[in-house]
Amino acid sequence: QVGARYGGALAKGVKPEEAWRSVQVDQHSAALAHSLSTLVANFLDAAASPPFPGVLPERDGGVLQKLATLFALDQMQGVSADLLESGFMHPTRHPPLLRAAIRTLLHELRGDAVALVDAFDFSDNQLKSTLGRYDGEAYRA
């Protein structure tokens, strides 16, 4: 679409510099979308086949896959306006499905939330929160 708009502007006699400037915001969006799709694809691939087989229990591999899927869906939700505008999303069908899938994954990951946060090794100070319970048994639900 960006190329077609640029070519259309040139065909109308717009100077190349002006035509280029007229599509720069769209070029930026396209570059971000490409980078994001690469990041998501790599995360999903890595979660599906951890680099160190046998190190993570099978259950934890499933948690990583759910986390990667949640990340992908959250990113899609963040750029949903672009996806709708470009026709990759149906305006009435896909947004509710996207939100429902995110809610489902959040529910499924809730029991692993403390372990996931600990795995990223953020300090309580960075999180501006003290994680745990009054009795110190953070992993007992």
Side-chain angles (χ1 to χ4, degrees), residues 86-100:
S86 62
F88 284 102
M89 270 183 133
H90 187 276
T92 58
R93 285 189 306 222
H94 292 128
L97 292 173
L98 187 59
R99 284 189 295 275

Side-chain angles (χ1 to χ4, degrees), residues 31-106:
L32 285 176
H34 174 74
S35 299
L36 185 58
S37 71
T38 302
L39 177 67
V40 166
N42 288 337
F43 190 4
L44 291 169
D45 286 346
S49 55
F52 305 107
V55 173
L56 285 176
E58 183 62 35
R59 179 186 168 283
D60 292 339
V63 170
L64 288 178
Q65 287 178 319
K66 287 179 184 178
L67 187 62
T69 303
L70 177 62
F71 175 76
L73 294 174
D74 181 65
Q75 296 304 308
M76 286 177 64
Q77 189 173 36
V79 296
S80 59
D82 291 336
L83 295 172
L84 288 166
E85 184 180 8
S86 62
F88 284 102
M89 270 183 133
H90 187 276
T92 58
R93 285 189 306 222
H94 292 128
L97 292 173
L98 187 59
R99 284 189 295 275
I102 289 171
R103 280 192 298 271
T104 298
L105 283 167
L106 287 171

Side-chain angles (χ1 to χ4, degrees), residues 3 12 16 54 56 65 73 75 87 91-92 118 120 123-124 140-141:
K12 291 179 184 174
L56 285 176
Q65 287 178 319
L73 294 174
Q75 296 304 308
T92 58
D118 283 352
F120 286 105
S123 71
D124 290 346
R140 203 174 75 208

